[in-house]
Amino acid sequence: EAQVTQNPRYLITVTGKKLTVTCSQNMNHEYMSWYRQDPGLGLRQIYYSMNVEVTDKGDVPEGYKVSRKEKRNFPLILESPSPNQTSLYFCASSPGPGDEQYFGPGTRLTVT
Amino acid sequence: KQEVTQIPAALSVPEGENLVLNCSFTDSAIYNLQWFRQDPGKGLTSLLLIQSSQREQTSGRLNASLDKSSGRSTLYIAASQPGDSATYLCAVCSGNTGKLIFGQGTTLQVKP
């Protein structure tokens, strides 16, 4: 089944403890991106990747890092999480940046 | 700066009604427009993608139209069912980065 998977789905952590949210797609898509969804602010792009080893900032990249070492994986790294990063995170992928985008199931992160 | 607005924010209809959800955007220079469905606690499901050169797309009981010159898109749902209850999100892709600009969504409730 063609899909975008994210792990973990739920995570509660403490301020400053490094964490990684994984994202993987099995559709051989070149384009991948991360969004966060917050009440009243909607969905905003954090980072995107055009292809392996090609990443760039979205609208809200502060406090996040990404890497794209393989085409299928695009992990989101929070090196020192803070409470304002409590949010619902989505990974998405598509064949190219102008194509239909497919979203993962989301990761609900709480930072205390 | 591209802004996307969805009206109404919430809608409640009896089962069987045909309904229209509205989406407007401020910059007509778009690559495509995508409609998504989001169920509580779940990810985004892509419903329809309209490329900038297209006027409409259809999938089953769903029909989406695009009028770039007026900055508007509508999602028409025919013969609504309780299973259609969800939040519907409109997203515009404006640049070659693939970034989606989302509206705040319309939460639909279809009553049996």
Side-chain angles (χ1 to χ4, degrees):
Chain A
E1 179 188 358
Q3 60 183 349
V4 179
T5 57
Q6 295 179 226
N7 284 291
R9 294 288 314 281
Y10 303 90
L11 179 61
I12 301 173
T13 189
V14 296
T15 299
K17 185 176 181 182
K18 181 179 178 180
L19 66 91
T20 299
V21 183
T22 65
C23 172
S24 183
Q25 49 92 7
N26 62 1
M27 296 169 278
N28 201 37
H29 286 170
E30 293 192 348
Y31 184 84
M32 298 185 75
S33 61
W34 277 102
Y35 289 81
R36 60 178 288 174
Q37 186 178 31
D38 302 289
L41 297 175
L43 282 123
R44 294 173 293 166
Q45 190 185 60
I46 304 170
Y47 268 95
Y48 66 95
S49 170
M50 292 287 194
N51 212 328
V52 175
E53 301 292 1
V54 182
T55 64
D56 209 342
K57 297 176 181 179
D59 289 332
V60 288
E62 296 78 19
Y64 305 95
K65 287 177 58 177
V66 292
S67 69
R68 188 91 181 275
K69 294 185 172 60
E70 307 166 284
K71 184 182 269 194
R72 66 183 292 127
N73 296 322
F74 189 43
L76 180 69
I77 303 157
L78 286 73
E79 299 231 333
S80 183
S82 62
N84 64 12
Q85 293 179 297
T86 292
S87 187
L88 181 58
Y89 291 86
F90 289 103
C91 179
S93 76
S94 61
D99 298 316
E100 185 174 10
Q101 298 196 31
Y102 299 90
F103 280 70
T107 295
R108 186 167 292 282
L109 172 66
T110 301
V111 183
T112 61
Chain B
K1 177 185 173 186
Q2 180 71 271
E3 293 182 1
V4 180
T5 303
Q6 291 185 248
I7 294 173
L11 183 62
S12 181
V13 301
E15 182 177 3
E17 272 205 8
N18 302 323
L19 58 101
V20 174
L21 306 182
N22 297 295
C23 171
S24 62
F25 46 95
T26 54
D27 187 346
S28 61
I30 66 171
Y31 278 76
N32 62 54
L33 185 146
Q34 199 165 349
W35 282 93
F36 295 90
R37 166 184 174 143
Q38 185 173 22
D39 293 280
K42 295 191 177 181
L44 280 68
T45 301
S46 177
L47 298 173
L48 289 164
L49 171 76
I50 311 177
Q51 298 289 358
S52 62
S53 59
Q54 298 174 317
R55 297 281 293 187
E56 66 177 331
Q57 282 287 335
T58 298
S59 176
R61 294 183 294 108
L62 305 179
N63 176 277
S65 67
L66 175 64
D67 184 342
K68 277 202 323 177
S69 61
S70 67
R72 293 182 181 182
S73 175
T74 61
L75 179 67
Y76 174 82
I77 303 177
S80 58
Q81 304 170 357
D84 294 330
S85 299
T87 296
Y88 291 80
L89 294 161
C90 163
V92 168
C93 181
S94 288
N96 58 6
T97 68
K99 180 174 69 177
L100 295 176
I101 304 296
F102 284 84
Q104 293 289 327
T106 294
T107 299
L108 172 66
Q109 182 184 35
V110 181
K111 297 179 179 177

